Amino acid sequence: DTGVSQDPRHKITKRGQNVTFRCDPISEHNRLYWYRQTLGQGPEFLTYFQNEAQLEKSRLLSDRFSAERPKGSFSTLEIQRTEQGDSAMYLCASSRPFIKEETQYFGPGTRLLVL
Amino acid sequence: DQQVKQNSPSLSVQEGRISILNCDYTNSMFDYFLWYKKYPAEGPTFLISISSIKDKNEDGRFTVFLNKSAKHLSLHIVPSQPGDSAVYFCAATDTVNTGNQFYFGTGTSLTVIP
């Protein structure tokens, strides 16, 4: 069990560029979550997958954001036409299936800086 | 609409003493609560949780207390150790209606002084 991994750990991009982040959950976890954390704030929920199905999306997830989990394993989060306000830590978490009170286990995050 | 609040941004405690971190919530539907610990440049690490059917859960040096009527929970660390220095986040969820979304507080930065 290697834990949740995220790649890249850091990304610097210019405004207007597209970026894509990857998350690999813990192997037996079928639930996968994306959160965003800005300075001085706690993580804020963006979206959630159960297997390959995207079941919930926050209003924070604008049209420029898209997340996929095509085979129910790893997930990608893409931000199109990045803006300076997108600068944040993007966290991925995973959890086991069929557990009502279930802990989400977080990856190390991808820190995005939009110049 | 911050549904989970941690009103103390920072706390300093002497090594060996008790650290008490507080968290308040507004949504009475929340029924599962967690504490996470976060070091710089790392993701949050799960520490301890409590269901709304309990008022206390203990795991080694860490105890979480839940007061449902006051919509308040606290994390007690005793004795505090320098390695406990980190940012602590309180999280809550409504497992019935929105069980997959955790709501986090803004965090409390704990410094344990040797």
Side-chain angles (χ1 to χ4, degrees), chain A residues 16-90:
Chain A
Q17 297 295 305
N18 299 344
V19 294
T20 300
F21 310 140
R22 176 179 169 126
C23 170
D24 287 88
I26 294 171
S27 58
E28 66 269 25
H29 290 187
N30 77 333
R31 296 178 178 173
L32 187 147
Y33 313 80
W34 286 98
Y35 288 82
R36 181 175 71 185
Q37 184 177 14
T38 53
L39 198 63
Q41 300 297 315
E44 295 174 291
F45 173 80
L46 291 178
T47 189
Y48 152 69
F49 289 85
Q50 182 158 298
N51 298 311
E52 64 276 8
Q54 188 173 18
L55 299 185
E56 285 182 44
K57 290 169 65 172
S58 163
R59 64 181 186 280
L60 292 176
L61 211 66
S62 76
D63 291 344
R64 297 184 296 105
F65 288 69
S66 63
E68 293 183 345
R69 195 183 183 197
K71 298 182 180 178
S73 56
F74 73 91
S75 175
T76 58
L77 177 68
E78 181 184 16
I79 309 174
Q80 296 182 326
R81 305 181 303 283
T82 53
E83 301 173 356
Q84 289 182 326
D86 297 331
S87 296
M89 173 77 87
Y90 290 85

Side-chain angles (χ1 to χ4, degrees), chain A residues 103-115:
Chain A
T103 299
Q104 295 179 17
Y105 295 90
F106 284 83
T110 295
R111 182 168 294 282
L112 173 66
L113 177 61
V114 181
L115 301 176

Side-chain angles (χ1 to χ4, degrees), chain A residues 9-10 31 33 35 37 40-45 48 50 55-56 58-59 89 91 100-109 111, chain B residues 1-2 31-32 34 36 38 41-46 49 51-53 89 95-107:
Chain A
R9 294 290 305 274
H10 300 91
R31 296 178 178 173
Y33 313 80
Y35 288 82
Q37 184 177 14
Q41 300 297 315
E44 295 174 291
F45 173 80
Y48 152 69
Q50 182 158 298
L55 299 185
E56 285 182 44
S58 163
R59 64 181 186 280
M89 173 77 87
L91 293 162
K100 180 172 174 283
E101 293 172 348
E102 174 58 5
T103 299
Q104 295 179 17
Y105 295 90
F106 284 83
R111 182 168 294 282
Chain B
D1 59 339
Q2 190 78 16
D31 60 356
Y32 185 53
L34 308 94
Y36 283 84
K38 186 179 186 301
E42 294 184 12
T45 302
F46 169 71
S49 63
S51 166
S52 61
I53 62 173
F89 290 98
T95 63
V96 174
N97 297 303
T98 61
N100 308 303
Q101 179 174 164
F102 281 11
Y103 295 85
F104 284 84
T106 52

